[in-house]
Amino acid sequence: MTVLMSDAPRATRAPFDVAVATSAAFFVLILIWAGFDTRAYLEAPVWLKPAKFAMSFVVHFATLALIVRAMSPDRRSGRSSGRVLVVTEAVMVTAFLTEMIYITYQAARAEGSHYNIGDPFHAAMYGVMGLGAVLLVVGPVAVAAVAWRDTVFGPATRVGLVAGAVVSCILTLIVAGTLSGLESHFVGVPAPGAATIPLLGWSAAVGDLRPAHFMSLHALQVLPLVGLWADRTGRAGRVVFAVAVIWTAITMALFAQAMMGLPLIRL
């Protein structure tokens, strides 16, 4: 039977579930505290960035937790596959905690966590965050590799799991690597008070790499769901490849648009 969530036996080991609960707790506590602390940094509330990151981590780790829980007991506890999962979980959770704690610490100081390299400490922490970000997008590839050989998943679902992890990893490394090199989300300099897209906060005046970054990250969720849908509707796994190509094309188009200094939507 094709499974991804509810059909699977409960995992005996749940580091990803702990990460989901921890990031959700960060999100709730940050929202509560933001009601009392209304300071701003670069025209944005100081607690906006850690809140966004906490919610992003909830989605990221919830996806991985569902995949691991859906695996057969043999794959979760096998000598080689179990070791891969243990190491991947430990590395990813450590990277998450390091990044989340530092971002929250910097918000409390009303200072930037990203692109803040003005002294040795902040430069070193920016490098640590960069390494952590790489580990957080490479880790799902290891999880998907374990899931690939698990027949508890349908064939199209397995393709979706691997495609989602690989496409997300490659696209995120491209977009996030560019972000790091530019030392800004923007391509161009938005004027003070320049228009932004409501709720999302993306620039509506100059190029902004965050839409492409959003697309690259969430291939990890979209492509496995396409594979699951394909299995449950009797479609072949090649539909996953088609969606992966379209998703990649849209992401790279958004990336190119931003690099030309053009906003997603001009307001």
Side-chain angles (χ1 to χ4, degrees):
M1 181 184 296
T2 301
V3 299
L4 185 59
M5 294 179 287
S6 59
D7 301 64
R10 184 178 180 85
T12 57
R13 185 181 60 252
F16 287 146
D17 297 272
V18 174
V20 173
T22 303
S23 51
F26 264 106
F27 180 73
V28 172
L29 292 173
I30 287 167
L31 285 187
I32 293 172
W33 187 247
F36 299 96
D37 185 354
T38 58
R39 292 174 298 163
Y41 175 75
L42 298 181
E43 300 183 3
V46 294
W47 295 107
L48 180 60
K49 182 182 288 289
K52 285 183 175 180
F53 269 77
M55 181 50 63
S56 179
F57 281 129
V58 169
V59 176
H60 192 67
F61 283 112
T63 302
L64 298 173
L66 288 171
I67 295 170
V68 172
R69 280 175 171 269
M71 290 179 185
S72 62
D74 289 345
R75 298 302 296 167
R76 288 199 304 267
S77 58
R79 176 173 295 183
S80 58
S81 58
R83 187 175 297 123
V84 169
L85 290 177
V86 168
V87 172
T88 301
E89 289 162 345
V91 169
M92 291 188 67
V93 171
T94 300
F96 148 66
L97 289 174
T98 302
E99 188 155 327
M100 197 67 232
I101 289 171
Y102 179 65
I103 291 170
T104 304
Y105 169 75
Q106 288 297 98
R109 291 167 54 88
E111 295 182 0
S113 51
H114 290 70
Y115 312 122
N116 185 350
I117 54 175
D119 59 72
F121 170 73
H122 289 98
M125 288 306 301
Y126 188 50
V128 169
M129 284 203 304
L131 174 60
V134 171
L135 296 173
L136 286 164
V137 297
V138 171
V141 177
V143 175
V146 174
W148 172 252
R149 299 181 61 185
D150 194 340
T151 56
V152 74
F153 300 106
T157 302
R158 293 201 300 274
V159 171
L161 291 171
V162 173
V166 172
V167 168
S168 179
C169 179
I170 293 173
L171 291 179
T172 300
L173 290 176
I174 292 172
V175 178
T178 303
L179 277 166
S180 178
L182 291 175
E183 297 186 359
S184 173
H185 296 129
F186 305 118
V187 179
V189 181
T196 60
I197 298 174
L199 298 179
L200 298 171
W202 299 337
S203 178
V206 299
D208 194 328
L209 287 165
R210 286 175 292 184
H213 192 33
F214 178 89
M215 291 287 290
S216 68
L217 288 173
H218 292 295
L220 182 64
Q221 288 79 38
V222 172
L223 296 181
L225 288 175
V226 172
L228 180 64
W229 169 79
D231 276 327
R232 293 189 171 179
T233 56
R235 288 170 172 79
R238 59 178 175 269
V239 69
V240 179
F241 289 108
V243 174
V245 169
I246 294 170
W247 194 270
T248 300
I250 293 173
T251 303
M252 294 309 296
L254 291 173
F255 176 74
Q257 179 183 14
M259 292 300 292
M260 290 187 290
L262 302 175
L264 177 65
I265 300 172
R266 190 176 295 278
L267 299 176

